[in-house]
Amino acid sequence: MASESFKPLSQGQAPKKLHFVIVGGSLGGLAVGLALKTIGHDTTILERNPAPLLQDQGAGIVAGGDTLEFFKRYNRCDGPFAVSSKRRQYLNKEGNVVHKEEMVQNMTSWDLAYYLMRANYDGIESPYCKVPEPVSGHGKATHLHDRQVTHFKEEGDGVRVFWKTSNGEEGSIVSDILIGADGPSSTIRKILELGVERKYTGYCALRGTLLESEASESAKEAFCERFTFFHCPGVQILAYLIPGKNGTLEPGERLINFVYYSNFPEGSSELEEIMTDKNGRRRPITMPPGMTDPNAWEKQRQLARERLPPQFAEVVCGTKKPFVQAVTDVISTQHEYLGGKVVLIGDALAGFRPHTVASTSQATFDAMIFADYIQGKVSRNEWKKQTMGFARYIQKRGVNMGERSQHQDLPLEEHIHDRNVASTPRVEEIYPDWATAI
């Protein structure tokens, strides 16, 4: 990023206020916006969704060390952030525990993380939390929805970003640095990396939640304060508790969140069926909550009863708004362009398979270390090696985990080993040379 227009601060050097344009207003964009705002820079988020607030994704998040550190560093709202799980365990087909390990992990929800970030970034009121008081010295934070970025070009020492709205209005905005935080199908990455494609891997994640109070005693025993798994050939399912409506952690009001991996070969009628919504529209990557075709989901309910332990079958069959995510692979060759005027972070840089439970950790880590680099706390070389090392190493790990889980018939001990390796804290990872090569 050492361009003529920007050089990182040296220790003791007075800061120059910069303007960052961030493409993408989900967790990655909000994370980097909040981190940069906190150190005094101005930021503008351009979010393509026409609504001012993103729809509740209905998804759970395993809050790893970087996610927890991010909220400790930047969240000024009161109240708890996560549900603690005290044990990781594995069931057999009959629903009996066949392996368990005592360990604490923290689980939160996409919607709670999103509204906490919005409260801290641009002061959005919600039932999730009170908006904290402004802080002198923070940068200006602007969030613009209904802005689909179409292209950008260098202009002077910065970058001009062009956008259009859903009703055809067009405009542009100039930034010192442009940040692509627009997810695995990143528009910014597509412009910069013509040869990088997002590719389907042959299976999907079926997802949903069940209110804790609606679960049987057997299901509560399996999933309350437990991170629980089941494997069989071509299938993996896991479940855990997450905060409930408006972020509540009250027992009975929390949600049992499941992620159910099942094979749907590319080009198959099964894939077409599960990815075609109730209105007949074929969804390319994600079937939003509440849009799944009832007939297609009924088939999955029946398969769940046949394949899964009874506790898992119960939560799959009981969810009211299931959604589906096609599992994909994508990774960029680098993360900075045009002499550092354009930067990719999070899923826009590398889309991890969800087995890694690291997508939110990547977004928050990338945001924190980039802010530290801008502030002069870490060197350009360290920023690049840590960001690209994490992206390449964990992306490859996710590919390996997914292939072993979905396309190989392995003993349970192998899956337990894979999961334990994936739980290694980032600060304890030792990246091989290929991952950190710049």
Side-chain angles (χ1 to χ4, degrees):
M1 181 175 260
S3 68
E4 292 183 2
S5 60
F6 170 72
K7 294 184 185 298
L9 297 176
S10 300
Q11 193 167 16
Q13 182 180 350
K16 171 190 173 184
K17 178 173 282 195
L18 300 172
H19 177 225
F20 295 82
V21 168
I22 301 163
V23 180
S26 190
L27 301 188
L30 289 169
V32 72
L34 181 53
L36 292 168
K37 167 192 170 176
T38 302
I39 59 173
H41 297 291
D42 294 341
T43 58
T44 300
I45 288 177
L46 303 178
E47 166 56 44
R48 68 179 181 179
N49 196 296
L53 295 171
L54 294 184
Q55 181 184 11
D56 178 4
Q57 303 290 300
I61 293 171
V62 178
D66 288 305
T67 303
L68 296 173
E69 173 60 26
F70 176 88
F71 279 92
K72 179 181 178 182
R73 194 184 289 193
Y74 300 114
N75 176 34
R76 295 185 296 114
C77 298
D78 293 329
F81 169 65
V83 178
S84 290
S85 167
K86 297 179 174 59
R87 176 192 298 171
R88 186 184 297 158
Q89 62 185 17
Y90 296 78
L91 306 184
N92 61 15
K93 175 66 168 60
E94 291 68 41
N96 300 316
V97 176
V98 292
H99 179 82
K100 62 183 178 180
E101 299 177 18
E102 303 302 319
M103 62 178 64
V104 175
Q105 291 186 267
N106 294 284
M107 323 310 204
T108 191
S109 62
W110 182 94
D111 57 302
L112 178 55
Y114 176 79
Y115 281 102
L116 285 174
M117 287 189 185
R118 288 299 301 266
N120 285 279
Y121 176 70
D122 61 332
I124 292 297
E125 293 275 2
S126 77
Y128 291 82
C129 63
K130 293 181 179 179
V131 175
E133 293 294 322
V135 174
S136 176
H138 277 194
K140 181 181 178 183
T142 304
H143 186 289
L144 302 175
H145 62 281
D146 197 15
R147 301 295 195 278
Q148 172 68 58
V149 170
T150 57
H151 62 289
F152 57 86
K153 67 177 184 180
E154 288 188 87
E155 184 172 299
D157 289 337
V159 179
R160 182 173 290 275
V161 186
F162 296 84
W163 51 261
K164 65 179 180 180
T165 67
S166 55
N167 62 13
E169 180 186 352
E170 297 182 354
S172 66
I173 185 172
V174 175
S175 66
D176 291 300
I177 297 173
L178 168 62
I179 300 174
D182 46 343
S185 294
S186 169
T187 296
I188 304 304
R189 189 192 64 243
K190 288 177 182 176
I191 293 170
L192 295 163
E193 297 268 12
L194 297 178
V196 174
E197 297 180 9
R198 187 180 186 186
K199 296 181 179 179
Y200 177 59
T201 63
Y203 62 102
C204 295
L206 314 181
R207 307 189 65 168
T209 59
L210 180 69
L211 189 64
E212 183 182 3
S213 62
E214 296 177 357
S216 67
E217 290 304 313
S218 176
K220 291 177 186 176
E221 175 64 24
F223 306 127
C224 290
E225 300 183 354
R226 306 283 187 268
F227 193 2
T228 305
F229 296 79
F230 170 72
H231 289 264
C232 69
V235 169
Q236 179 194 133
I237 187 168
L238 56 94
Y240 51 84
L241 277 181
I242 62 173
K245 183 178 180 181
N246 298 333
T248 181
L249 299 187
E250 283 296 314
E253 297 179 24
R254 302 171 295 187
L255 298 171
I256 300 172
N257 172 79
F258 70 84
V259 185
Y260 173 19
Y261 301 103
S262 185
N263 292 348
F264 293 86
E266 189 163 19
S268 66
S269 59
E270 292 84 0
L271 177 63
E272 294 305 303
E273 181 179 51
I274 198 64
M275 296 305 295
T276 301
D277 70 21
K278 61 186 181 182
N279 297 324
R281 175 186 169 189
R282 172 59 159 88
R283 302 283 182 153
I285 302 291
T286 302
M287 177 69 66
M291 292 303 296
T292 307
D293 179 83
N295 293 327
W297 189 251
E298 184 53 43
K299 289 185 180 180
Q300 296 307 315
R301 285 161 54 100
Q302 182 57 41
L303 283 171
R305 295 185 189 101
E306 296 169 4
R307 292 171 165 176
L308 304 179
Q311 303 97 318
F312 278 114
E314 178 185 332
V315 296
V316 171
C317 293
T319 188
K320 295 178 175 63
K321 288 187 175 182
F323 64 106
V324 182
Q325 295 173 320
V327 178
T328 61
D329 289 329
V330 68
I331 184 167
S332 184
T333 61
Q334 55 183 312
H335 72 139
E336 64 166 346
Y337 306 82
L338 304 182
K341 293 179 182 179
V342 182
V343 174
L344 299 178
I345 72 156
D347 289 342
L349 169 60
F352 296 163
R353 295 198 193 186
H355 310 278
T356 64
V357 296
S359 289
T360 306
S361 291
Q362 182 192 25
T364 52
F365 172 68
D366 286 0
M368 289 188 290
I369 196 169
F370 181 63
D372 287 347
Y373 165 58
I374 293 295
Q375 204 172 10
K377 290 184 175 180
V378 299
S379 69
R380 177 176 184 269
N381 188 60
E382 183 70 8
W383 164 62
K384 291 184 70 66
K385 291 182 73 169
Q386 288 296 323
T387 303
M388 291 307 302
F390 191 23
R392 291 169 178 157
Y393 193 54
I394 304 304
Q395 196 272 342
K396 185 177 186 296
R397 174 183 288 166
V399 172
N400 293 339
M401 289 182 71
E403 293 306 300
R404 285 164 60 82
S405 170
Q406 298 306 122
H407 303 303
Q408 297 180 30
D409 186 4
L410 301 174
L412 178 61
E413 291 73 20
E414 293 286 316
H415 297 303
I416 293 170
H417 173 265
D418 286 353
R419 172 55 46 206
N420 288 347
V421 169
S423 298
T424 304
R426 179 192 51 77
V427 294
E428 297 177 14
E429 298 279 16
I430 300 175
Y431 300 138
D433 290 343
W434 61 260
T436 58
I438 303 302

